[in-house]
Amino acid sequence: DLSTGIIYRRRIATCQNVIPEILRKNSSVSQVSVLKVPDIYLEEESWLNMQKRNMAMKTHCLTWTQYASLSEESVFRESLENPNWTDFTQKGRISVTGAGLLNCVLEAFAQSFLKQGVKK
């Protein structure tokens, strides 16, 4: 947007399915068979404001929407302490429904996996 200087991007990301194979193999449970997909698709939107030196991002999962909801919001901005540093804030939400007893197992796995990514 030339009037505001904000660069908006919307894209689809393809990620490798990281659900453990033991959970994907159990085809006797109909809900679990949807976990067998090789890839997971995410939609990401970002707003880059070069004038204010910040960027906001929102991501949500497009795969398994009938069983799970995963969303994340991140903000990158110039640090008040030092303009050469970046302050990074991130919030996320994970919810699994419709997978019976596996709901809490899948939520715990997703939470653990995402926390490892945040530490990186």
Side-chain angles (χ1 to χ4, degrees):
D1 182 351
L2 296 176
S3 66
T4 63
I6 295 175
I7 299 170
Y8 170 77
R9 289 194 175 108
R10 181 176 170 218
R11 58 187 173 179
I12 305 295
T14 304
C15 303
Q16 183 179 0
N17 186 350
V18 295
I19 300 290
E21 198 65 35
I22 187 103
L23 294 175
R24 288 195 264 165
K25 283 185 177 182
N26 186 356
S27 61
S28 64
V29 179
S30 62
Q31 289 95 345
V32 176
S33 63
V34 300
L35 299 178
K36 292 182 180 182
V37 297
D39 297 313
I40 298 167
Y41 298 97
L42 305 169
E43 180 180 65
E44 176 187 273
E45 293 180 281
S46 65
W47 297 263
L48 175 62
N49 187 330
M50 293 299 288
Q51 294 170 356
K52 293 184 178 179
R53 296 189 60 169
N54 67 36
M55 182 172 74
M57 295 175 66
K58 289 185 179 183
T59 307
H60 68 271
C61 190
L62 299 173
T63 307
W64 305 318
T65 55
Q66 69 274 32
Y67 299 103
S69 155
L70 181 141
S71 62
E72 177 260 336
E73 294 181 23
S74 300
V75 176
F76 302 81
R77 66 173 45 103
E78 182 180 300
S79 171
L80 297 175
E81 292 180 47
N82 182 335
N84 294 319
W85 296 351
T86 301
D87 284 335
F88 171 63
T89 307
Q90 185 178 46
K91 293 188 277 183
R93 182 179 166 272
I94 302 164
S95 175
V96 179
T97 59
L101 297 174
L102 289 177
N103 286 354
C104 62
V105 172
L106 293 171
E107 282 181 1
F109 171 76
Q111 184 179 32
S112 171
F113 180 78
L114 293 173
K115 279 184 179 178
Q116 289 174 5
V118 168
K119 288 178 184 178
K120 289 181 184 178

